[in-house]
Amino acid sequence: MMRMPRFLRNSFSIVALSGLLTAGALWAGYELLTPTSPTLAMWIPQGSLLSIEALDFAGLLKDWSKSPEQQKWLTSDNYADFSRSRLFSRLGDAQGQFATTAGLSTGMNFLSQVAGKESIFAWYDIGNLEFLYITHMPSAAAEQTPLLQLRSKYQQRQAGTENFYIHTEGEPRRTVAFAVHGDYLLLATREDLIANALLLMQKQAQQSLTDEPWYASALTAAHAPAGDLRMTLNLARIVPSPYFRSYWIQRNITAMKQFSSSVSNLYRTSDSFREERVLLPVSPDNIPASVDLQPMLALLPASSGFYRASAQSGIDQVLDAINDKLLTRGPSPYRDDRVAPVADVSVQNAGSPTDFDTRIDETPPQQQSLSATLASLRAVLESAHVHSMLVTSTTADAVGDLFIPTHSAVILAAAAPWNGAAMQAALTDALRAHLTTSDHGLTWQQHSEDGTTWYELSGLQPMAFAVKGQVCLFASDGITLLQMLRSSQKNARTPRIASVVAGYSHTVEREHFLRLTSILDGKSKPANAGDTPPFFSRNMGSLANTFSSLHAETFTEVPDKETNTLHQTVLYQWRR
């Protein structure tokens, strides 16, 4: 399934009219996409990889240009770092070649000049950045654009009864072609695209984008009214592309290749952006299971910074979550498998001063493997038949300039009732291996809250857990557990049948994220001009500040077995 960096991670994509036109051809947002009039798609020749349709493209550009987010982003470290990337360089080269061929400067000013109301952009080739663009613009306004005023320098061609203009030059060869059909302006980077579009407009050709099965099936599955933007994706052709695999930031190619096509619709209001996605799987087996996640979601405190509830999590994923968040609490291991390991060619010393503490007259203690340490816990989880899991964390109560505690919790829902005594023994076994040589510090204290018994670990590492029927709660401390138990008395119990429900509170986490990462990256070492800024505190931190008016993001995924589709809703809530 497609995930967006949760800002997507998760995400919504910045919408561009074309990388050729300009890297500034953006409508902001984190994966913001959606629909318009189907008439324009009927004039798009077949063979495109994706299409982006807008009800009012000029209006979107105007809103973006006057938004505070645009000014913040263009002066941010995030943009500065992006501007030094290979992708930005390639887009810049393509934009320069397009400008040279067209005979005029391109940028946001040019984009605004050719932006009309209803518009559609179809992308045919990722590597060569080939596209066709059609926009609804009164012919009088189109005649005033600098592009049309240069037509005397272009070669004139004809498609049916319509004239179009084309110019090709450079190495590699670049083409710019444009035409006006009534109140529509057409712009393309291939002669055949603009010629075939004009023939479709004159009804002298029949096969268009709307006749392609992937496009028609995506729109049929969406069955939603037009929003501000709509993007349809031919994933069967996009995902195998080496260009897409190289530049797609999510790195979730394995998940994406399970789907043949998708459509995303964006709906904007004054205080929210809502994206509705529909993904069509290659096989019905790729549709995930769904359960009622509300019993776990009802336990979330209002102050939760991040949460993710998912159906049918495998036992290995459940164990990893409990171990990482609550038992060992260490940083998760990560290695970029695209980078080869560095060979160690240093001279190995026979010994070092630290070896004086190494005994050679005793057998070193045997270290238990992680699987052996968690064996008892695995057995308890398997006997309960876990069918869903929620992981949450927050830094909501962080104070001061140094200590920023992260409170984490894992909630499990199972088909069978939990055995509290067996769970307590299993947690003790799992903790013993890395906390103590005996059972010192592994004493559980029993408490009660509104008829629910819960247990808190005494010792240096706090931890608590409770059992409520078929739901088991684990928390990094007693206060967090109590917050969840008390939330269950307040939150509504309306069923939430879904495969995934997740959320992130930008309001709760932004300041703490910036403070923590500035400490880790080193406050006293600001990057010099031209240096790569620290990734978290400066690069991602500046992106967080750019969207400081974003309050929260929620993500919901609901499979539909009857129609063999996967529906995803992403909601961005703004502070206005």
Side-chain angles (χ1 to χ4, degrees):
M1 67 196 72
M2 290 196 302
R3 292 276 196 273
M4 293 153 169
R6 202 166 293 276
F7 65 91
L8 284 246
R9 194 174 145 207
N10 108 289
S11 51
F12 304 7
S13 57
I14 298 172
V15 177
L17 169 61
S18 164
L20 280 175
L21 289 178
T22 172
L26 303 173
W27 164 245
Y30 299 70
E31 294 179 44
L32 305 180
L33 317 165
T34 338
T36 172
S37 166
T39 304
L40 298 185
M42 293 174 64
W43 297 337
I44 297 296
Q46 293 189 349
S48 69
L49 302 176
L50 66 85
S51 69
I52 300 175
E53 304 166 63
L55 285 175
D56 184 3
F57 185 47
L60 291 177
L61 282 180
K62 182 178 179 181
D63 289 346
W64 168 242
S65 297
K66 70 180 183 181
S67 69
E69 286 79 11
Q70 188 216 43
Q71 298 303 319
K72 290 180 181 178
W73 186 61
L74 292 177
T75 58
S76 68
D77 285 317
N78 180 263
Y79 178 80
D81 194 51
F82 172 58
S83 66
R84 291 190 287 268
S85 68
R86 186 171 182 268
L87 175 60
F88 188 91
S89 176
R90 288 207 60 190
L91 291 174
D93 291 342
Q95 178 183 335
Q97 293 165 4
F98 181 90
T100 301
T101 305
L104 46 75
S105 61
T106 59
M108 284 299 292
N109 187 45
F110 170 74
L111 192 59
S112 299
Q113 292 168 354
V114 298
K117 195 169 176 60
E118 298 93 351
S119 305
I120 185 169
F121 161 71
W123 196 354
Y124 288 82
D125 188 286
I126 297 177
N128 294 320
L129 298 175
E130 296 174 347
F131 69 88
L132 169 65
Y133 168 66
I134 303 175
T135 188
H136 185 193
M137 178 183 294
S139 57
E143 289 290 341
Q144 299 303 314
T145 61
L147 182 64
L148 263 71
Q149 294 175 10
L150 291 174
R151 58 187 163 197
S152 61
K153 299 180 180 180
Y154 284 58
Q155 296 179 9
Q156 182 175 314
R157 303 284 173 83
Q158 195 168 32
T161 60
E162 297 281 357
N163 294 326
F164 66 93
Y165 303 88
I166 182 171
H167 181 64
T168 301
E169 69 171 53
E171 187 60 43
R173 306 292 285 174
R174 292 290 185 182
T175 296
V176 174
F178 64 87
V180 174
H181 174 83
D183 287 334
Y184 291 92
L185 172 66
L186 295 81
L187 179 64
T189 57
R190 274 176 26 196
E191 179 179 356
D192 64 312
L193 293 179
I194 202 160
N196 289 333
L198 288 171
L199 291 176
L200 286 167
M201 287 176 157
Q202 300 170 65
K203 298 184 179 179
Q204 297 187 32
Q206 295 180 344
Q207 298 299 312
S208 70
L209 176 62
T210 56
D211 298 309
E212 293 201 65
W214 72 270
Y215 182 88
S217 59
L219 290 194
T220 301
H223 57 77
D228 296 282
L229 287 169
R230 174 171 65 198
M231 183 166 76
T232 51
L233 296 162
N234 186 350
L235 296 175
R237 289 187 57 201
I238 292 174
V239 173
S241 167
Y243 297 100
F244 179 78
R245 299 169 75 92
S246 297
Y247 292 112
W248 180 239
I249 193 173
Q250 305 295 340
R251 301 297 179 192
N252 59 345
I253 303 298
T254 301
M256 290 185 65
K257 69 182 181 181
Q258 300 176 25
F259 300 93
S260 61
S261 61
S262 72
V263 57
S264 297
N265 288 287
L266 172 71
Y267 304 89
R268 298 189 307 156
T269 67
S270 60
D271 58 0
S272 70
F273 287 177
R274 177 170 57 90
E275 182 189 355
E276 296 288 351
R277 307 175 186 163
V278 180
L279 293 92
L280 282 67
V282 175
S283 166
D285 296 336
N286 295 335
I287 294 291
S290 60
V291 297
D292 183 9
L293 299 175
Q294 184 58 30
M296 296 187 300
L297 294 171
L299 295 164
L300 279 174
S303 60
S304 295
F306 161 77
Y307 65 90
R308 185 178 189 275
S310 56
Q312 212 173 31
S313 298
I315 293 298
D316 289 337
Q317 288 73 30
V318 172
L319 284 170
D320 287 344
I322 295 175
N323 187 55
D324 291 343
K325 296 291 184 182
L326 303 169
L327 301 180
T328 59
R329 306 187 190 184
S332 298
Y334 173 77
R335 185 181 72 83
D336 191 339
D337 56 12
R338 295 167 298 155
V339 179
V342 178
D344 184 5
V345 295
S346 61
V347 177
Q348 300 298 319
N349 294 322
S352 70
T354 59
D355 290 335
F356 289 128
D357 294 326
T358 302
R359 300 188 66 93
I360 61 175
D361 58 343
E362 294 181 359
T363 303
Q366 295 295 320
Q367 297 292 328
Q368 272 191 317
S369 66
L370 182 60
S371 60
T373 300
L374 302 178
S376 298
L377 185 57
R378 177 185 287 273
V380 174
L381 296 175
E382 289 176 342
S383 64
H385 303 291
V386 176
H387 59 66
S388 53
M389 173 176 68
L390 184 149
V391 178
T392 180
S393 60
T394 186
T395 57
D397 64 348
V399 295
D401 293 329
L402 181 58
F403 295 106
I404 306 176
T406 299
H407 304 281
S408 301
V410 176
I411 305 174
L412 304 178
W418 292 92
N419 185 326
M423 178 59 72
Q424 180 176 315
L427 290 174
T428 301
D429 285 345
L431 289 165
R432 181 184 295 115
H434 63 271
L435 284 185
T436 179
T437 55
S438 60
D439 283 349
H440 295 300
L442 293 181
T443 302
W444 295 91
Q445 297 179 346
Q446 181 175 320
H447 306 275
S448 182
E449 175 78 14
D450 292 330
T452 299
T453 300
W454 61 280
Y455 302 88
E456 184 174 22
L457 185 66
S458 63
L460 295 178
Q461 178 169 304
M463 185 178 173
F465 82 95
V467 171
K468 285 177 65 68
Q470 292 170 278
V471 176
C472 188
L473 302 83
F474 307 86
S476 57
D477 54 271
I479 295 176
T480 299
L481 184 69
L482 283 175
Q483 287 177 341
M484 293 191 295
L485 292 175
R486 292 165 184 169
S487 295
S488 66
Q489 308 301 322
K490 304 174 184 177
N491 293 337
R493 296 304 179 95
T494 305
R496 295 283 299 275
I497 308 299
S499 55
V500 177
V501 176
Y504 175 74
S505 175
H506 202 221
T507 299
V508 170
E509 297 295 334
R510 184 173 69 93
E511 292 298 331
H512 302 150
F513 172 82
L514 294 175
R515 184 153 56 89
L516 175 61
T517 55
S518 67
I519 294 171
L520 297 177
D521 284 339
K523 269 185 179 179
S524 60
K525 301 179 188 176
N528 297 321
D531 288 350
T532 300
F535 181 76
F536 289 106
S537 63
R538 294 280 299 276
N539 190 327
M540 299 309 298
S542 69
L543 187 62
N545 284 330
T546 294
F547 294 99
S548 58
S549 59
L550 177 65
H551 168 59
E553 173 195 349
T554 57
F555 173 88
T556 305
E557 181 178 88
V558 179
D560 188 334
K561 295 286 188 179
E562 293 185 2
T563 61
N564 192 31
T565 55
L566 187 64
H567 296 255
Q568 298 177 345
T569 299
V570 186
L571 179 65
Y572 294 98
Q573 296 173 296
W574 302 91
R575 295 193 300 268
R576 298 301 188 192

